[in-house]
Amino acid sequence: MNPVIGPVRCGLGTAPLGSSLEGPLWWGPQDHVVAVDTVLAAIDAGAAFIDTAPFYGWGRAERIVGEALRQIPSHAPILTKCGTIRRDDGTFVEDTSPAAVRADVLASRERLGVARIDVVQIHDPDPQTPIERAWEALMDLVEEGVVGAAGLSNHDAGLMDRAIAVGPVTVVQHQYSLLHRDPETDGTAAWCVQHDVPFLAWSPLASGFLTDGFDLGALHPTDLRRNLRWATTAAERPRRVRALLADVAERQDTTTSHVALSWLIARGAHPIVGARTPDEARQAMRPALDLTAEDFVPTT
């Protein structure tokens, strides 16, 4: 069992809680008080971790998490990220140079209001900075006690090999769901098994497409989910997968999202669930289903 993340179960993802018209991610309106209560509900329901990032509303999600933490004596491990830097014109760039990593992490620590961040992950690869330099910068922050451990987000197996040669990789995260199964074939899931590193699955419900009652037409006209490939080129496959999930959910007397999350947990992945209300958070943190062989949805 990983000493930071613990047993395989769901964690809370805060990208939707950081939704902001000012960018960079817009999921529609998100009430601030409801967002704080969602974090508290997830922790109370036994979330394995809280995953956030400066990129989520350019600090909004981290401030929400920090506000929640100030209301409770103890909490689940807090994971944030570094390396995606906002430019003055509102665009962003990947910069994992040592100076940028340090500045990013210290700013996150202030927004979260903690003395030490449990885990900091490099958000995305930076083609201009060797992973070894970025990893050395994170290892320095670990040694200083600013960070508890370090992880990687959206890095391929080759980059993960190079990082772990410098220092420990505590967590890895990639997109993984019934509609996005690349980790099964691109080597990232196998790498985590080989190195005994927890695999965190972001967008485990395909940005809502695998939840009950999801209605693309009801989304805000500028909601980012309207541009996802599930909504365009792969429309038939989502319908087929959702129908299969609904069949399993009916037999199990539960929801399609519960089945989809349990499917990931059965494969050893920790789903990062982007709940937006306290009830959604509590529902996401339910114990995984004991799925039988016939409950598993086919790969195609």
Side-chain angles (χ1 to χ4, degrees), residues 96 98 101-102 122 130-144 150 162-163 165-167:
T96 60
V101 166
R102 179 172 289 274
I122 297 178
I131 187 66
E132 291 84 357
R133 288 191 68 214
W135 208 245
E136 286 168 358
L138 275 179
M139 291 299 102
D140 286 345
L141 290 165
V142 169
E143 186 173 347
E144 294 167 22
R162 290 168 57 186
V166 174

Side-chain angles (χ1 to χ4, degrees), residues 71-199:
Q71 299 182 36
I72 53 178
S74 61
H75 55 80
I78 305 301
L79 283 60
T80 193
K81 304 179 185 75
C82 67
T84 302
I85 309 300
R86 186 182 189 181
R87 294 188 177 107
D88 292 339
D89 63 1
T91 61
F92 58 89
V93 64
E94 302 307 321
D95 183 356
T96 60
S97 62
V101 166
R102 179 172 289 274
D104 216 12
V105 170
L106 293 179
S108 288
R109 187 175 66 164
E110 182 174 351
R111 287 189 290 266
L112 291 166
V114 296
R116 187 187 74 161
I117 304 171
D118 295 305
V119 182
V120 173
Q121 306 152 92
I122 297 178
H123 204 151
D124 282 294
D126 170 11
Q128 304 303 318
T129 305
I131 187 66
E132 291 84 357
R133 288 191 68 214
W135 208 245
E136 286 168 358
L138 275 179
M139 291 299 102
D140 286 345
L141 290 165
V142 169
E143 186 173 347
E144 294 167 22
V146 175
V147 173
L152 289 165
S153 168
N154 304 323
H155 288 65
D156 63 33
L159 290 173
M160 294 192 291
D161 277 335
R162 290 168 57 186
I164 204 169
V166 174
V169 175
T170 299
V171 299
V172 161
Q173 70 169 267
H174 283 268
Q175 185 178 8
Y176 187 27
S177 73
L178 278 160
L179 293 179
H180 185 95
R181 301 183 64 168
D182 292 4
E184 297 174 359
T185 56
D186 66 11
T188 53
W191 189 95
C192 289
V193 172
Q194 177 186 353
H195 294 277
D196 195 25
V197 173
F199 183 101

Side-chain angles (χ1 to χ4, degrees), residues 17 30-37 60 63-64 67:
L17 298 181
Q30 176 64 54
D31 181 81
H32 180 85
V33 173
V34 171
V36 173
D37 287 345
R60 184 187 185 206
R63 286 189 290 271
I64 287 167
E67 187 172 332

